Amino acid sequence: MTPDQILAVTLDDISRADEYYDSVIEPKLKVRKQIYSADKSYYTSKYPRLSERTDIVSYDCWATVRWFATSCLKSFLGGDPRKVIGIQPVGAEDRHKSDRLRDLITFQLVSENKGYMVFFDWFLDAFAYNLGAIKCWWETKIEPEQEITEVMDLTRLQALQASQEIQIASQEQLDAPDLVRVTYRRIIPVFNGPKLTLVRPTELRFFADARLDEDPSWIAHRVVVNADT
């Protein structure tokens, strides 16, 4: 497919998903939000005659959702958060490494990703709107050190080129046949682990035939950003 054909198919998919959201999903989300927040306008439209005599609303849905979300958070993270993460060692010699990796990822999820808050908001959306989602991906951040200029032989240069921790900026052949002036940076990893973000129900886009509890054919996270982002 040509780039123009790919763009046309992508825009058509986005249009289909937006149309389904606007016509079906958004009206349902608005009603669920009214019920969850005990919106007076919801009770006025549902019980017009009764609303003429009383302003009473029910917060039963709000209280039930909060109770369910808290109970689920305790089940997932209230005890040992490491039970949420499962890392299977290949052999008996890998068991110690898998335990250390599980502890590291658990710390990254719970502490560095504010896992308790993300999970709690996820449960709230799931119970209040019947639609909750988390986006998870693996992120690696690196910071290069200051440039180093060094004269070295070809063997040393080949070793630097093969290293994943070295970024070569330039190299210059000197008059000596086996010597090269090389400018390089050492790459320092500052983060290497999972990242979590809550996807609100209003930001999800999918097709009408999508089953979100399975592997949907198409799903997107719609985010509004400014020109500087």
Side-chain angles (χ1 to χ4, degrees):
M1 297 180 66
T2 65
D4 290 339
Q5 290 174 326
I6 295 175
L7 178 60
V9 172
T10 302
L11 293 177
D12 180 65
D13 288 343
I14 294 174
S15 178
R16 287 173 54 197
D18 282 338
E19 182 180 356
Y20 179 63
Y21 174 83
D22 294 337
S23 61
V24 178
I25 302 300
E26 187 177 36
K28 292 182 179 180
L29 292 179
K30 288 181 177 180
V31 172
R32 289 183 180 276
K33 181 178 180 180
Q34 289 178 320
I35 296 174
Y36 174 67
S37 60
D39 193 328
K40 183 181 176 181
S41 62
Y42 170 78
Y43 289 91
T44 300
S45 61
K46 192 172 183 63
Y47 308 105
R49 294 180 59 185
L50 181 62
S51 299
E52 293 176 357
R53 294 178 291 172
T54 177
D55 290 335
I56 190 171
V57 296
S58 173
Y59 286 91
D60 289 349
C61 180
W62 180 89
T64 302
V65 165
R66 305 288 291 195
W67 180 80
F68 272 136
T70 303
S71 299
C72 285
L73 189 64
K74 290 181 179 179
S75 299
F76 271 79
L77 301 175
D80 186 358
R82 294 179 301 172
K83 294 180 180 179
V84 180
I85 308 299
I87 298 178
Q88 187 67 32
V90 177
E93 67 278 4
D94 297 326
R95 188 174 302 278
H96 178 65
K97 293 180 180 179
S98 67
D99 290 341
R100 292 183 61 188
L101 185 57
R102 183 184 63 176
D103 292 341
L104 173 61
I105 294 179
T106 300
F107 169 77
Q108 291 172 332
L109 286 176
V110 174
S111 299
E112 297 191 3
N113 283 276
K114 300 180 180 179
Y116 288 100
M117 297 178 62
V118 173
F119 271 63
F120 184 68
D121 289 338
W122 176 32
F123 296 145
L124 285 180
D125 285 346
F127 290 127
Y129 301 105
N130 199 29
L131 183 60
I134 286 180
K135 184 167 66 174
C136 179
W137 68 97
W138 196 270
E139 182 173 275
T140 301
K141 290 183 178 181
I142 58 175
E143 286 185 359
E145 291 183 337
Q146 291 185 349
E147 290 186 350
I148 301 173
T149 300
E150 182 180 335
V151 176
M152 62 186 69
D153 57 27
L154 296 181
T155 302
R156 165 72 170 158
L157 174 60
Q158 292 174 354
L160 290 181
Q161 291 173 334
S163 175
Q164 299 292 330
E165 299 177 355
I166 298 297
Q167 184 182 66
I168 296 179
S170 65
Q171 59 187 62
E172 177 187 356
Q173 182 69 50
L174 301 180
D175 293 337
D178 294 333
L179 294 180
V180 183
R181 180 181 289 108
V182 180
T183 300
Y184 64 93
R185 291 177 175 177
R186 191 175 302 276
I187 304 299
I188 306 298
V190 295
F191 181 81
N192 186 28
K195 297 293 289 184
L196 288 180
T197 185
L198 179 71
V199 180
R200 303 312 303 264
T202 55
E203 299 173 351
L204 277 175
R205 296 294 185 272
F206 46 88
F207 295 152
D209 58 351
R211 288 289 304 274
L212 298 185
D213 57 339
E214 299 176 357
D215 186 14
S217 59
W218 190 91
I219 188 169
H221 180 195
R222 181 178 183 270
V223 182
V224 178
V225 297
N226 55 41
D228 297 330
T229 302

